Amino acid sequence: MLRELLLNLSHSKTARQFITHFPVARRVSSRFVAGETLADEIKAMRELRNKGMWVTADHLGENVSTEADASRAADDCLQLLDSTAAAGINSHLSVKLTQLGLDLGNEICFANLRRVLEKAKTVNTFVRVDMESAEYTERTLALVRAAKDVGYENVGTVIQSYLYRSEEDVQSLVADGIRVRLCKGAYKEPPDKAFPRKEDVDANYAKLAEMLLAAAKQNPSLYPAIATHDEAMVAAAKGYAASHDVPRSHFEFQMLFGIRRELQEGLRAEGYNVRVYVPYGAEWYPYFMRRLAERPANLWFFVSNFFKR
Ligand SMILES: Cc1cc2nc3c(=O)[nH]c(=O)nc-3n(C[C@H](O)[C@H](O)[C@H](O)COP(=O)(O)OP(=O)(O)OC[C@H]3O[C@@H](n4cnc5c(N)ncnc54)[C@H](O)[C@@H]3O)c2cc1C
């Protein structure tokens, strides 16, 4: 109920204007977001790299409504790629296709995606196309495949275990040699598309993680990303990898900036590859609302800070 309300508010322009108006919102959001500037992003990524973590850079933004905004978002990615390389930080880049103009049409979006992939290739960077709500799943997978077909090997995408279709998608992405990040899924989806019960989402997560790990044992270039803060999912993946001799170098765990830091550091200390997704930028509102929706305690933290301000 609360989750639904927060996810609905994440799309609301009025709620966005109201909430972002308060400095306390920006302060609380800084728990999940490196900052608003590129300098903040580089600093946060450098600190994580110094702790032995891998990083994914993300310039926040989604659902742009003009071609100029989509092109500007691609420019921001190019600048981020250049700055990360100039700072000597080895990172991945994440992008959302609605940030690159997917709502304006596949052609505009694909042209922007190609610009990003081309630049990423020159600085030897892997680009992960994040997965958004289910209305975009089919087109996102099609554009990622199209990018691979025109020769970009540095592209991968994300599969959400809450969708019924995901098992088939994992099978076909693995067959096509496309790298997958597995997550549970962060959007509000109807019961005809996604498992409504958490137990089913978790069971599917464990199943898909096993499929990806089994595939990575045969083909290390698939290098799946097990993206979760759920200790039970982490334990399931670790257990499967250990009992099926999947080398630790063939996969990585991924978590979000500011969430379960002790779990991130513990896994790193155990010798696993851990990558932290580090978002930054002025467009933090929808990302922040999804993080609030994931954990009611975050909302109470926000509300109590709001009244303390
Ligand atoms: C690296 C990465 C990339 C992602 N990319 C995508 C994507 O492209 N598309 C997409 O739909 N989703 C994406 N997600 C979000 C994902 O789908 C889930 O919404 C999110 O990770 C919460 O699920 P969970 O696996 O952590 O498990 P949950 O069962 O939700 O949480 C398990 C435990 O983790 C902790 N936790 C989880 N979330 C939070 C939080 N916000 N604040 C504090 N503690 C928390 C809590 O202790 C909780 O009990 C990504 C997640 C990660 C880690």
Side-chain angles (χ1 to χ4, degrees):
M1 189 71 176
L2 189 57
R3 178 175 181 270
E4 281 198 11
L5 173 69
L6 290 164
L7 291 177
N8 281 334
L9 288 177
S10 74
H11 303 294
S12 156
K13 283 202 175 114
T14 318
R16 180 195 197 111
Q17 271 167 0
F18 179 75
I19 290 175
T20 56
H21 169 77
F22 292 101
V24 64
R26 184 164 293 138
R27 213 169 57 238
V28 175
S29 76
S30 70
R31 189 188 146 188
F32 305 112
V33 173
E36 293 207 359
T37 68
L38 188 48
D40 295 329
E41 175 75 349
I42 298 288
K43 179 169 175 282
M45 290 199 291
R46 184 169 279 129
E47 283 169 9
L48 286 159
R49 289 294 294 126
N50 288 342
K51 289 183 183 169
M53 308 287 181
W54 298 107
V55 287
T56 296
D58 173 55
H59 185 251
L60 290 163
E62 49 200 84
N63 293 109
V64 301
S65 51
T66 69
E67 213 170 317
D69 284 345
S71 175
R72 223 176 344 261
D75 291 343
D76 289 337
C77 290
L78 305 195
Q79 196 193 9
L80 174 56
L81 285 164
D82 273 335
S83 304
T84 308
I89 296 171
N90 179 338
S91 84
H92 286 180
L93 176 77
S94 262
V95 288
K96 288 188 171 44
L97 291 188
T98 66
Q99 178 181 24
L100 299 181
L102 191 57
D103 290 330
L104 307 167
N106 284 7
E107 273 179 30
I108 291 171
C109 180
F110 193 59
N112 283 321
L113 178 64
R114 282 190 79 151
R115 284 173 62 212
V116 173
L117 289 170
E118 196 56 40
K119 164 62 83 178
K121 202 159 111 180
T122 66
V123 290
N124 205 12
T125 298
F126 177 78
V127 176
R128 179 84 59 183
V129 176
D130 285 350
M131 191 56 78
E132 302 177 69
S133 62
E135 69 182 288
Y136 300 111
T137 310
E138 193 62 37
R139 290 164 73 202
T140 300
L141 295 178
L143 291 186
V144 168
R145 282 205 171 85
K148 180 123 194 310
D149 289 347
V150 295
Y152 294 105
E153 292 296 330
N154 58 333
V155 67
T157 190
V158 181
I159 289 294
Q160 299 150 321
S161 73
Y162 62 18
L163 294 185
Y164 302 129
R165 60 175 288 162
S166 289
E167 184 172 346
E168 273 180 35
D169 287 335
V170 165
Q171 275 163 356
S172 62
L173 288 167
V174 162
D176 293 346
I178 295 176
R179 280 162 66 168
V180 171
R181 172 202 292 153
L182 179 64
C183 67
K184 290 189 187 177
Y187 298 83
K188 186 174 153 240
E189 301 296 355
D192 62 317
K193 293 215 167 94
F195 295 104
R197 295 183 336 142
K198 177 172 163 52
E199 303 90 276
D200 297 324
V201 177
D202 289 358
N204 201 35
Y205 191 99
K207 181 179 182 185
L208 301 183
E210 287 185 6
M211 285 168 62
L212 288 167
L213 291 169
K217 184 179 172 183
Q218 306 303 325
N219 176 6
S221 72
L222 287 170
Y223 193 69
I226 308 299
T228 182
H229 315 95
D230 185 338
E231 287 183 58
M233 299 302 114
V234 168
K238 279 163 74 174
Y240 181 88
S243 60
H244 291 76
D245 297 319
V246 186
R248 289 178 183 193
S249 57
H250 288 204
F251 65 97
E252 69 184 18
F253 288 105
Q254 293 193 355
M255 295 189 206
L256 301 176
F257 179 79
I259 300 182
R260 300 298 310 267
R261 287 196 196 100
E262 77 303 338
L263 185 57
Q264 298 174 9
E265 288 170 11
L267 285 168
R268 183 67 207 114
E270 287 175 50
Y272 290 96
N273 289 324
V274 179
R275 186 177 300 276
V276 181
Y277 182 104
V278 189
Y280 82 102
E283 298 295 318
W284 47 265
Y285 173 77
Y287 179 86
F288 172 60
M289 293 302 282
R290 289 196 292 274
R291 303 296 76 81
L292 290 186
E294 279 156 4
R295 192 164 177 257
N298 291 341
L299 179 64
W300 305 133
F301 178 69
F302 175 49
V303 171
S304 61
N305 270 269
F306 192 83
F307 287 109
K308 268 192 237 152
R309 80 187 195 277

